Amino acid sequence: MLESNILYEQSRASSAFLPRSYPQKDTPLLIYGPPKSGKTSLALEYAKNAKNAKRVVFVDCSDMRFCLEDTQKELLKAFLEKAFDLLVVDNYDISSLAFNLSSKPSLISSAESTLSRTATPVLTLPNLSNIILVCATPICDKQGLSKYPTHHFAHHLAHLRQMRVLPLSFREFVSFSKAQKLESIFSTFLKSGNLPEMPFLTESKHTARNQEIIRLAYQKHARIFQEILDFQGQNFSAYSLLRKLKPSLKTSKDTIYAFIESLKSQQSIFLLPHTQNRSKPKLYLYNFALPYALSASPHFQHIFENMVFCELLLKYSNPFSEITQAESSTPKSLISYDEECDFLVNDIAYIVMPFPNDTLLKARLQKLTKKYKKVIFISIEHSEKQSEYEVQSFIDFALDDEVG
């Protein structure tokens, strides 16, 4: 048994986790994603179910008792004594994955520095391939290219897999919820958002909790993040944000640009590309309901549109990648939009229309000049199927297993 206030032994029997839609993955593994999306819980669930790992040790680098020197000594001692089979490190600074060589320049980017709430001391990892790291940002960019030269990595982490963890899909939210009626669950999902903890909080606490999460995650940049919410479902650029902030907030251009890059890397915001014009991306949030908690005038259409986007993202994107990938060309985004539809996936046009009627549907169809494989309208509760188009309620759309 470990006698430590810093290293915790995780008991398989005492831990219970609600299942997510992420399959078990082999180690070494890096889990990253936006605030409170369930990264730590998933890491502990993986540890609980890991084969050939009866003794699991957990280290939280954000623990106020964390002392680099003491933790390093205790971790090395436990490793040499073979006191554990699997190591889980939470809130780890990925910049410390690279060797800390004084002759080398710092490998941490300005974006990652901006994202970090505090400067996390570098914790040297033992030569153990059975490791799960929980971080804010990935090692690889979205093309699978490592941010760091691979020769800077310890050899036992050379084939580190990374997995993006996003908040709950509606299907997962239903499985987490105590309510019985789908309509009631949908109402809570729409108003309170998709974070895993929301089904377990009383509804009166949802707004305060969402505000608290943003304040803790972004601290001095929380106000900037709040201003970004106004661009939800609209064209976005760093320049447009800078112009919006300039009259009321004295913030440097470098700070704004670095913060936006950090949010993109962390998957807290997504910039959806236009099929033809890459300079016109639309912005969506990892938690579509944040404007209800942080904005004085939330826009229902944009929130509902963002909710549909989050479901499409979970249905169509691959959360896994490896640092050894070396694709040189930028892959075409699977999800995009054009002037005639809100989302385009595999030549299927998705149009978000919360409250459709015959007049609105006919008017929108008449504006379509392109020939799509299928046209699907997503509504709050209306459903119908015609030869030219299909209307799906959000519940049916989100719970449908079919991927086009």
Side-chain angles (χ1 to χ4, degrees), residues 44-86:
L44 294 177
E45 181 183 3
Y46 279 7
K48 178 181 177 182
N49 298 322
K51 297 178 181 179
N52 304 319
K54 295 180 180 179
R55 297 165 300 175
V56 180
V57 166
F58 177 80
V59 181
D60 185 357
C61 295
S62 69
D63 192 316
M64 292 183 70
R65 296 167 295 180
F66 179 87
C67 170
L68 177 61
E69 186 177 353
D70 293 342
T71 304
Q72 201 73 73
K73 288 179 181 178
E74 292 189 33
L75 188 58
L76 178 59
K77 181 175 182 291
F79 172 67
L80 294 176
E81 293 176 353
K82 298 183 179 180
F84 59 89
D85 307 305
L86 172 63

